[in-house]
Amino acid sequence: MDIAILFLTCLVIAGVMTVQTGLSRAERRAARIERKLDLVLGHLGLEEEIPRKDEIIGLVREGKQVQAIKLYRQSTGADLVEAKQAVDRMV
């Protein structure tokens, strides 16, 4: 009985590791595609339209970086790291 439980536990752990590896690979591919798309947009002179961009820039100029990042996240649905990087690039 103990051997069966140990075997099932190892099987579950191996399955979880396989799924995590696949997700990690997919995330790296998505990031690489996004970088390439950013380069193409930059080459074409196109810029992503950001909702409430003027408000966000105004908050940054007032020294309210945290509020600017929060507003960017609310407006775009970006995660915290992406929002911080985007707000840093705006100024």
Side-chain angles (χ1 to χ4, degrees), residues 41-42 44-50 53 90:
L41 289 172
L44 295 174
L46 301 174
E47 192 174 301
E48 179 183 2
E49 191 166 319
I50 301 168
K53 183 176 180 177
M90 283 184 193

Side-chain angles (χ1 to χ4, degrees), residues 3-72:
I3 293 175
I5 292 174
L6 181 61
F7 177 73
L8 287 175
T9 303
C10 290
L11 190 61
V12 168
I13 290 171
V16 168
M17 289 175 57
T18 302
V19 169
Q20 285 181 336
T21 300
L23 289 175
S24 170
R25 188 177 307 133
E27 289 172 353
R28 286 192 309 268
R29 269 189 97 203
R32 191 170 54 242
I33 290 169
E34 287 177 0
R35 282 192 303 271
K36 289 178 181 181
L37 183 57
D38 288 341
L39 288 172
V40 169
L41 289 172
H43 179 72
L44 295 174
L46 301 174
E47 192 174 301
E48 179 183 2
E49 191 166 319
I50 301 168
R52 303 175 76 180
K53 183 176 180 177
D54 294 335
E55 292 178 60
I56 295 167
I57 291 173
L59 286 170
V60 172
R61 288 185 179 153
E62 293 173 12
K64 299 178 180 177
Q65 185 86 5
V66 174
Q67 289 88 346
I69 293 169
K70 184 176 179 180
L71 181 58
Y72 184 91

